Amino acid sequence: MIRCLAIDDERVALDIIEEYVNRIDNLALVARINDPVEAINFLKGNKIDLIFLDIQMPQLSGIEMLETFAELPPVILTTAFHEYSLKGYEFNVVDYLLKPIAFSRFLKSIRKYENMLSERQTSSGFLEVKSDKRVHKISLKDLYYIESLGNYVIFHLSNKQLISYVSLNQLTQSLPSYFLRIHRSYIINKQYIISYNQENIEIKNKYLPIGRSYKDVIEKINF
């Protein structure tokens, strides 16, 4: 579960963020705070994964708050003013949302955050997978292949299977180069290939088809 904090001096803006967060299963709004000074104190004693931060606030602006902390959880900036966007990107924020915020644009920011998170995880050799209302930390070296199942995917591991709500396209972009997309329904770990031909690849006693649009994947296999 992604623990979120919303910081904004406008109640209506906080209501919108809360409504949008509640629409997404893997997000939880831990707190909504309208005072940036109070938010600073809250962050000192609470674990937060993602902050929605308004830029223009009394006492302390969102930009000044970013300058105050040596390190903050990932931040998505929100504001009604275009001119602040470039300033916000100086702090390497996840995204910048212009008010009034449409849900589709909000969702795009969350996907961007999730992609960033996946890239960080996979670079360390591990991946966090949400399955059965739990978060599982899996080692990529134990992952044989990933199979699409409608809006879900199955992670086929050395000792179990996990079903998770995530797109195969999203995983393709974040996994290391030794994972290959061979079909619209399959990503494989090429370290576990037993045999192959132009039609299919054998992994873990399974023959997985090579899609017509993925025939060039053969050139990327090295025993």
Side-chain angles (χ1 to χ4, degrees):
M1 188 66 69
I2 300 169
R3 295 166 55 86
C4 303
L5 169 65
I7 307 169
D8 200 306
D9 63 312
E10 298 179 358
R11 180 177 177 179
V12 172
L14 289 173
D15 288 344
I16 290 171
I17 293 296
E18 182 171 11
E19 178 192 344
Y20 288 176
V21 166
N22 289 339
R23 290 189 195 181
I24 303 175
D25 290 342
N26 64 329
L27 298 187
L29 189 64
V30 176
R32 40 181 286 173
I33 300 175
N34 61 10
D35 181 348
V37 176
E38 180 185 341
I40 289 173
N41 293 326
F42 180 86
L43 283 165
K44 291 177 181 177
N46 294 273
K47 181 184 180 300
I48 295 296
D49 300 310
L50 179 63
I51 299 174
F52 297 96
L53 177 62
D54 183 33
I55 291 180
Q56 201 168 49
M57 295 182 289
Q59 298 187 60
L60 195 69
S61 73
I63 297 299
E64 289 170 333
M65 189 171 170
L66 289 174
E67 291 172 338
T68 300
F69 280 83
E71 185 174 354
L72 269 176
V75 171
I76 294 176
L77 290 173
T78 64
T79 185
F81 303 95
H82 285 278
E83 62 266 25
Y84 288 110
S85 60
L86 292 177
K87 182 67 176 174
Y89 282 124
E90 291 177 15
F91 295 93
N92 197 29
V93 299
V94 175
D95 205 356
Y96 172 89
L97 293 176
L98 187 66
K99 299 176 182 179
I101 303 168
F103 180 67
S104 58
R105 184 64 183 84
F106 178 88
L107 193 59
K108 185 176 180 180
S109 285
I110 298 304
R111 295 294 173 252
K112 188 173 180 181
Y113 166 77
E114 290 176 334
N115 287 338
M116 179 196 76
L117 199 63
S118 294
E119 289 170 4
R120 288 181 180 178
Q121 292 165 352
T122 54
S123 65
S124 65
F126 292 92
L127 183 66
E128 283 189 5
V129 173
K130 300 177 183 67
S131 180
D132 297 327
K133 298 181 180 180
R134 297 180 65 83
V135 178
H136 303 258
K137 182 179 180 181
I138 67 172
S139 171
L140 293 178
K141 68 179 182 181
D142 293 329
L143 177 57
Y144 284 79
Y145 64 95
I146 307 167
E147 178 183 3
S148 177
L149 189 68
N151 293 326
Y152 294 81
V153 301
I154 305 174
F155 292 87
H156 293 268
L157 299 157
S158 58
N159 59 349
K160 61 183 175 182
Q161 296 179 353
L162 294 174
I163 299 176
S164 181
Y165 183 75
V166 64
S167 75
L168 215 61
N169 287 336
Q170 181 182 334
L171 289 168
T172 300
Q173 296 169 7
S174 60
L175 287 167
S177 60
Y178 55 88
F179 282 88
L180 300 177
R181 182 79 175 264
I182 64 166
H183 190 277
R184 65 181 181 179
S185 298
Y186 294 102
I187 296 175
I188 66 164
N189 184 339
K190 68 179 184 179
Q191 299 176 103
Y192 291 107
I193 295 174
I194 297 171
S195 67
Y196 67 92
N197 58 26
Q198 294 292 328
E199 305 302 322
N200 57 59
I201 293 176
E202 181 186 4
I203 287 186
K204 201 182 180 184
N205 299 319
K206 296 282 186 179
Y207 290 89
L208 307 179
I210 299 174
R212 280 185 290 181
S213 301
Y214 298 89
K215 294 299 183 181
D216 61 342
V217 77
I218 294 295
E219 301 170 5
K220 300 176 184 178
I221 297 175
N222 297 306
F223 277 155

